[in-house]
Amino acid sequence: MRIGLAGFGAWGRMHAQSYARVQRAELAAIFCHSDASAQAALSTYPAAKVVRSFEELLALPLDVIAITVPNHLHARYAVAALDAGRHVILEKPLAITLAECDAVLAAAQASGRQVAVNHELRVSQQWRQVREIITAGEIGRVTHQHLSLFRRPFKPGSGGWRQDPARVGSYGLEELVHFVDLIMWYARENGLPQRATVRASDGSAMPQTLSALLDWPDGSSALVTQCLAGFQHHSLLEIAGSSGAVRTNWSGAFDRTEHPSFSLWVQAAGEDDASERAIAFSGELFELEQNLALALASFAGEGEPSLSLAEARNAVALCLAIQEAGQKQEPVSLAEYWTKPGTAVS
């Protein structure tokens, strides 16, 4: 498949490296916004055509458009690519508003093309194995989850986009969106959460720390915390079930380290103590390539992407609800976030 890559920043370059290793992928074109990134693309991928506008990229004979630009452009570029008859690989988040999410869903349905949103933790040997343990009934029904993200502050990104609420959406949409997706995935049998209670370090869209308590109709709960005032990159997940428990963690000097430490411990039903489960490797550098290969296979009619567009929308919706609850400093009902229709964006 001939792939056109929109965006050649730090993560766009990770995509480009992955396509060079993925079967059935040919990196045919790259859209670069700046002179520096265009020069870097030309020197690194001389066989690819480098263009300086998204419209030029869409005019080329491509099968797939891969979008790795700042968050506020995700929906606009995805809708345009779908309208042009292309499949889309889209970096998370799906969009930064529910209206934009629904515009992408509508464009995908109208075009008959697919969108694979890159929630790469879904294919992780570490994080996916937790879902497999739950599916197998090893810990019974999920009753409580605790997920903690403790990391250094975000880098500003090109032109400071990651520090601009109008372009990034929120810090929740920049990374926590991965983890709220996992929380809902692990509690899939319990339905969707019904209420969010949040305490944040300030009332802005960009708090450095927040703690979100999520409640489900069946009485189960999840506590999700994000600290962007820490150091290195550390995540911890603890799940209690009706007949067992799981604890897993990941740590690295930074999020894209090639040498992280990680573990997964499970106390399954009927066991007196926990035992460690094997994980060959874990980290977004490893899982990106796997998820991109899965996306291309789904475009060829071989299976499905790692999550549906509806699930990607739900992850955005929950991040937006957490943001609202943090700003209001009072509980927010989630019902309207799951059902509230958006209006199409141009």
Side-chain angles (χ1 to χ4, degrees):
M1 294 185 180
R2 292 173 54 83
I3 296 168
L5 176 61
F8 201 66
W11 196 235
R13 298 179 195 204
M14 294 297 102
H15 269 251
Q17 292 175 20
S18 295
Y19 294 126
R21 298 188 294 265
V22 171
Q23 290 186 349
R24 81 170 101 223
E26 175 193 350
L27 182 57
I30 305 172
F31 157 46
C32 298
H33 176 72
S34 70
D35 292 340
S37 62
Q39 185 57 49
L42 283 167
S43 61
T44 310
Y45 299 98
K49 183 176 179 61
V50 174
V51 299
R52 300 303 303 276
S53 75
F54 189 65
E55 291 72 23
E56 286 182 85
L57 190 71
L58 289 185
L60 297 174
L62 302 167
D63 303 300
V64 178
I65 301 295
I67 299 170
T68 63
V69 294
N71 298 348
H72 72 297
L73 297 173
H74 285 190
R76 186 191 310 171
Y77 281 16
V79 169
L82 290 164
D83 287 348
R86 311 290 163 63
H87 295 297
V88 173
I89 293 174
L90 179 62
E91 263 305 319
K92 59 74 196 163
L94 173 59
I96 63 172
T97 70
L98 291 183
E100 290 179 339
C101 287
D102 291 340
V104 177
L105 269 66
Q109 183 174 18
S111 68
R113 299 299 181 181
Q114 295 190 53
V115 180
V117 185
N118 188 39
H119 280 249
E120 73 272 0
L121 297 186
R122 285 276 190 129
V123 302
S124 164
Q125 289 199 19
Q126 179 178 5
W127 304 103
R128 184 175 184 83
Q129 190 174 165
V130 174
R131 178 61 236 183
E132 291 169 350
I133 289 165
I134 295 167
T135 300
E138 293 192 60
I139 66 169
R141 183 181 66 87
V142 170
T143 59
H144 175 73
Q145 301 184 69
H146 168 224
L147 192 147
S148 169
L149 174 64
F150 178 90
R151 57 160 291 162
R152 67 180 67 197
F154 286 120
K155 293 181 179 180
S158 178
W161 73 268
R162 200 174 278 111
Q163 296 175 336
D164 179 3
R167 289 183 284 174
V168 71
S170 70
Y171 284 149
L173 288 171
E174 182 58 12
E175 183 163 16
L176 200 64
V177 68
H178 280 300
F179 294 104
V180 299
D181 170 61
L182 293 181
I183 288 290
M184 290 188 287
W185 194 34
Y186 297 151
R188 183 173 59 194
E189 290 77 11
N190 301 354
L192 292 169
Q194 66 179 354
R195 182 176 59 183
T197 305
V198 178
R199 293 294 177 264
S201 54
D202 62 64
S204 74
M206 313 286 276
Q208 289 294 300
T209 64
L210 65 81
S211 299
L213 177 62
L214 309 176
D215 297 308
W216 272 256
D218 67 350
S220 56
S221 63
L223 175 63
V224 181
T225 64
Q226 175 172 268
C227 176
L228 305 178
F231 53 84
Q232 302 171 345
H233 195 100
H234 307 276
S235 53
L236 166 69
L237 171 69
E238 298 167 320
I239 301 180
S242 57
S243 56
V246 172
R247 187 180 193 275
T248 189
N249 65 279
W250 191 98
S251 292
F254 51 95
D255 51 353
R256 295 171 190 170
T257 183
E258 295 182 6
H259 305 287
S261 60
F262 43 83
S263 66
L264 172 61
W265 290 78
V266 182
Q267 183 172 357
E271 294 182 353
D272 294 330
D273 203 354
S275 57
E276 189 171 9
R277 301 290 175 90
I279 305 172
F281 54 83
S282 179
E284 61 182 33
L285 288 182
F286 306 108
E287 292 138 9
L288 172 63
E289 183 177 331
Q290 293 176 297
N291 211 32
L292 297 180
L294 183 63
L296 294 178
S298 72
F299 298 161
E302 302 169 8
E304 299 291 333
S306 56
L307 85 166
S308 67
L309 281 181
E311 290 171 311
R313 183 196 192 276
N314 284 345
V316 170
L318 185 49
C319 285
L320 293 175
I322 288 172
Q323 178 181 334
E324 180 189 353
Q327 291 173 322
K328 288 183 174 180
Q329 295 289 291
E330 61 184 42
V332 166
S333 172
L334 301 178
E336 70 173 53
Y337 279 92
W338 310 135
T339 59
K340 181 179 180 180
T343 56
V345 293
S346 58

